[in-house]
């Protein structure tokens, strides 16, 4: 991630680029003596989702919004100024970046 950010800065694109980082919770790798992400433990319920938006400097640092991976595409489309098609599942959570509650 650091190399990507450095490259963006060197190319002058850092302040023009929205950076999104997330990951999968994997298979918990043996936590609680289980190897599966379908068990209802904290490790399987939470995943990092980090957004750096150059225009949204006042965005909350941490929030408690519950989002699903089906919400990622509508979120990214909204950040790009597009509307998610009707057939697409999920709902954008972009208002969170402006400190607005989700309805």
């Amino acid at each position: 991630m650091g190399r990507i950010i450095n490259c963006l800065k060197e190319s002058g694109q850092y302040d023009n680029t929205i950076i999104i980082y997330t990951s999968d919770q994997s298979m918990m790798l043996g936590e609680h003596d289980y190897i599966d992400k379908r068990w209802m433990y904290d490790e399987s319920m939470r995943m990092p989702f980090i957004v750096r938006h150059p225009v949204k400097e006042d965005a909350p640092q941490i929030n408690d919004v519950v989002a699903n991976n089906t919400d990622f595409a509508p979120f990214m489309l909204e950040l790009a100024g597009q509307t998610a098609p009707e057939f697409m599942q999920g709902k954008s959570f972009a208002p969170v970046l402006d400190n607005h509650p989700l309805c």
Side-chain angles (χ1 to χ4, degrees):
M1 193 64 167
R3 290 189 306 209
I4 292 170
I5 289 172
N6 287 338
C7 183
L8 288 168
K9 287 179 178 180
E10 289 172 8
S11 69
Q13 294 301 310
Y14 183 69
D15 291 325
N16 274 340
T17 304
I18 298 169
I19 299 171
I20 299 173
Y21 170 83
T22 191
S23 73
D24 188 292
Q25 70 273 47
S26 190
M27 296 302 275
M28 293 173 44
L29 301 174
E31 292 291 323
H32 309 283
D33 295 322
Y34 296 112
I35 301 177
D36 201 326
K37 57 185 161 189
R38 293 170 288 192
W39 293 99
M40 300 294 273
Y41 289 105
D42 198 48
E43 297 87 354
S44 62
M45 299 297 290
R46 298 179 183 270
M47 294 184 301
F49 193 88
I50 301 168
V51 177
R52 187 220 176 248
H53 194 303
V55 179
K56 310 281 185 180
E57 294 178 10
D58 295 329
Q61 299 296 308
I62 298 174
N63 64 60
D64 59 358
V65 169
V66 176
N68 187 297
N69 60 0
T70 59
D71 300 323
F72 293 176
F75 171 76
M76 292 176 201
L77 285 169
E78 186 170 342
L79 292 185
Q82 301 298 310
T83 304
E86 289 289 322
F87 64 83
M88 186 175 280
Q89 296 180 16
K91 180 178 177 185
S92 172
F93 49 96
V96 171
L97 297 180
D98 293 317
N99 291 301
H100 295 160
L102 296 177
C103 299

